[in-house]
Amino acid sequence: AIDVRADAGAHALLTTPGAGKWYRSSGAWARQRVTIDAAPGSCVEWLPQETILFDGSLADIAWEANLAPDACLVAWDIACLGRTGSGERYRRASARLETRVIRGGRLAWLERGRLGPSARVMGARAGLADRSVVGTMISVSGGLGDDLVAACRAVAPAEGAGAVTRLPGILVARYLGDESEAAREYFCALWRYVRPAIA
């Protein structure tokens, strides 16, 4: 469990020293819980290295941000399904994923998914299309204007596909491809536009 608390007016940029690794399991599920609490006027940037889900892993991953109405957030998650560089595919593994953003006591974003060999989303063209790297970047602020959205939509990843969607007070960017470096570079390029707008 990772708990982050940003006091009123604080600004925190957090990352991890290396990739998160989920190893093969003999039957028990491994669990990770990340909780971010951002007080009024605070800004939290959660920018971890990628998560590598080894074939045979059983991962239950939940991430939640509780934001004051005027708190700001930039967060991303990049998941690598298997170790494709060594020829490993994600065929005998399973992951339960949940992302939740609560702003001013109200649910602003909820996403749940289950990945594994029996999940149709793995091969579906409207899902992961048999790609091995998937990423989501979420930005929450009152300053996500049309110019910012247009600038972010003009950015393209070096490999794979990217897309940006704006909801009320939330900007969501997606990456789908086969290279974690391309995902990270894409999100960093977006972050360069988003950060001045929210911080």
Side-chain angles (χ1 to χ4, degrees), residues 133-178:
V133 179
V134 61
T136 301
M137 177 178 172
I138 299 173
S139 305
V140 181
S141 173
L144 304 173
D146 293 341
D147 291 345
L148 173 63
V149 174
C152 289
R153 287 181 175 159
V155 176
E159 183 278 335
V164 175
T165 302
R166 180 177 54 183
L167 303 168
I170 300 178
L171 193 71
V172 179
R174 304 279 195 185
Y175 171 84
L176 182 61
D178 291 309

Side-chain angles (χ1 to χ4, degrees), residues 99-138:
T99 302
R100 182 185 306 257
V101 177
I102 299 167
R103 191 173 189 202
R106 299 182 61 145
L107 185 64
W109 179 262
L110 174 62
E111 184 171 57
R112 290 185 181 136
R114 182 142 190 181
L115 304 178
S118 62
R120 291 188 304 198
V121 71
M122 299 293 290
R125 289 186 60 170
L128 302 187
D130 290 321
R131 303 304 288 264
S132 62
V133 179
V134 61
T136 301
M137 177 178 172
I138 299 173

Side-chain angles (χ1 to χ4, degrees), residues 3-188:
D3 291 313
V4 176
R5 298 182 190 280
D7 292 335
H11 187 153
L13 190 155
L14 305 157
T15 188
T16 56
K21 296 181 179 75
W22 296 77
Y23 296 102
R24 183 173 50 236
S25 172
S26 60
W29 283 78
R31 289 180 172 76
Q32 175 181 287
R33 299 289 180 266
V34 175
T35 304
I36 295 171
D37 289 304
S42 65
C43 181
V44 177
E45 297 173 273
W46 174 253
L47 313 176
Q49 301 292 324
E50 65 272 13
T51 297
I52 303 171
L53 299 165
F54 287 45
D55 194 30
S57 62
L58 297 174
D60 182 3
I61 303 170
W63 185 92
E64 181 175 303
N66 297 296
L67 310 175
D70 66 342
C72 296
L73 170 75
V74 178
W76 68 48
D77 178 58
I78 300 167
C80 304
L81 306 177
R83 295 175 297 164
T84 55
S86 58
E88 179 184 282
R89 301 298 293 177
Y90 192 74
R91 302 198 193 288
R92 296 173 295 112
S94 189
R96 295 186 298 237
L97 310 169
E98 181 174 303
T99 302
R100 182 185 306 257
V101 177
I102 299 167
R103 191 173 189 202
R106 299 182 61 145
L107 185 64
W109 179 262
L110 174 62
E111 184 171 57
R112 290 185 181 136
R114 182 142 190 181
L115 304 178
S118 62
R120 291 188 304 198
V121 71
M122 299 293 290
R125 289 186 60 170
L128 302 187
D130 290 321
R131 303 304 288 264
S132 62
V133 179
V134 61
T136 301
M137 177 178 172
I138 299 173
S139 305
V140 181
S141 173
L144 304 173
D146 293 341
D147 291 345
L148 173 63
V149 174
C152 289
R153 287 181 175 159
V155 176
E159 183 278 335
V164 175
T165 302
R166 180 177 54 183
L167 303 168
I170 300 178
L171 193 71
V172 179
R174 304 279 195 185
Y175 171 84
L176 182 61
D178 291 309
E179 295 181 11
S180 60
E181 294 85 4
R184 191 178 323 108
E185 289 170 6
Y186 175 57
F187 287 162
C188 283

